[in-house]
Amino acid sequence: MTELLDIHTIVQFLVEQGVVERTVTINNRLKGTTDGRVFTLAENEEPKYVLKIDHPQSISYVEQLHQAYLSSPLLPKLIYIDPDKQYIVYTYIDGTTHVNRGAKVTWLTRLVHDLLNHYEKYEQSKQWGRLETPRESWQEFNQRSLHYAERAIGSLLPAEDHESVRAWIGNLSDVKSKYLLHGDTGIHNFVFQQGELAGVIDPSPILGPITYDFTYAFCSSPDDLKRSTLFAAFDKLNRTTIDRSRLIQEVTFQLYCRIGICSRVHPQDLNDYLNAWDHWKREVRLHEV
């Protein structure tokens, strides 16, 4: 990314090319979860576009995800992609993140129907994991996730819990089909309008199984981490056929990783996740063959 790339110069170019209206204004700079700079562009003081300036490689990955799933009603629509991949323009989705999101079963089911069920198998690469840091296998990706979580969690969980999770890696890494995933399907990247899911933003694309995005979304908030909610939404997912015992193990592993994240950056949610952990590790034991 060119640090001196000027937002005003970019907007002027977009106006001259007819990409945006001449009356568009730079509204404000958004706080993002990436290294890039993100701005909203307004028409009559109402946000209409998002302009993201980032490293060319990152822009290319975002473009790839959006181009792959143009039919998804939850992803913003691409308006313009800089030929040098220094910035991208897409539609602004009005709403809020985190709050006023309604019932988890409702937004999770919408996520399944309007994004995850649009996913297609990806056979262009033998790599797995995040596009910017690819791995040789899904097992390597899981092992790295385990390593980071285990270090962050430490004594918050007993040693036998860490040992149990390590023992799951082989089973969780037995994956037959690879998909191009959003990669960061958490409530921080969900836009809600009047209690309903209206959009999914800020992808960090991953090559892996669809269950990753599904379980990541389910565990991304500490509320309603119930079997009934999980199964109700999972039953609408038409791109995978894993059994429920495997799904429970997948969720519990994702919950373990979430506890690691919370111990570092979301301590206010930690107790709720630890309580959920006690429940889900019992579920795994009940469903072990």
Side-chain angles (χ1 to χ4, degrees), residues 84-272:
D84 295 326
K85 311 299 184 186
Q86 295 189 83
Y87 61 89
I88 191 170
V89 182
Y90 50 88
T91 54
Y92 176 82
I93 301 175
D94 188 35
T96 59
T97 58
H98 292 88
V99 297
N100 302 322
R101 57 184 182 262
K104 177 175 283 187
V105 68
T106 301
W107 61 254
L108 189 59
T109 300
R110 174 94 198 275
L111 179 73
V112 167
H113 185 268
D114 285 341
L115 180 59
L116 305 192
N117 280 346
H118 289 255
Y119 285 173
E120 299 290 345
K121 291 183 180 179
Y122 191 92
E123 299 176 349
Q124 295 95 304
S125 171
K126 293 182 179 180
Q127 307 261 317
W128 295 78
R130 299 199 179 277
L131 296 187
E132 71 270 20
T133 53
R135 307 302 176 192
E136 293 300 317
S137 66
W138 189 241
Q139 180 160 338
E140 182 185 353
F141 178 83
N142 282 336
Q143 285 174 330
R144 287 178 178 271
S145 298
L146 169 67
H147 174 71
Y148 294 138
E150 187 171 4
R151 288 183 61 186
I153 294 169
S155 61
L156 287 171
L157 295 178
E160 55 266 28
D161 285 3
H162 294 297
E163 293 172 6
S164 295
V165 177
R166 287 196 292 270
W168 300 342
I169 293 297
N171 187 48
L172 296 177
S173 302
D174 183 16
V175 175
K176 307 302 182 188
S177 298
K178 178 194 305 178
Y179 296 82
L180 178 62
L181 311 177
H182 178 284
D184 197 5
T185 48
I187 57 167
H188 58 288
N189 283 331
F190 295 164
V191 181
F192 297 94
Q193 295 175 0
Q194 298 179 340
E196 295 191 1
L197 182 61
V200 180
I201 59 176
D202 288 348
S204 180
I206 283 179
L207 298 177
I210 289 179
T211 47
Y212 179 87
D213 269 7
F214 178 77
T215 58
Y216 190 98
F218 177 74
C219 293
S220 69
S221 66
D223 61 295
D224 195 12
L225 292 170
K226 298 177 182 177
R227 278 182 17 139
S228 57
T229 297
L230 177 73
F231 293 153
F234 184 76
D235 286 344
K236 304 297 188 300
L237 189 60
N238 60 22
R239 291 290 195 271
T240 186
T241 57
I242 66 170
D243 61 34
R244 292 194 172 189
S245 61
R246 169 68 177 270
L247 177 61
I248 287 170
Q249 194 174 67
E250 295 262 8
V251 164
T252 311
F253 179 69
Q254 194 64 253
L255 183 60
Y256 179 85
C257 294
R258 177 60 54 174
I259 291 171
I261 293 171
C262 282
S263 68
R264 298 192 308 268
V265 295
H266 301 298
Q268 71 276 10
D269 293 332
L270 184 57
N271 284 337
D272 288 337

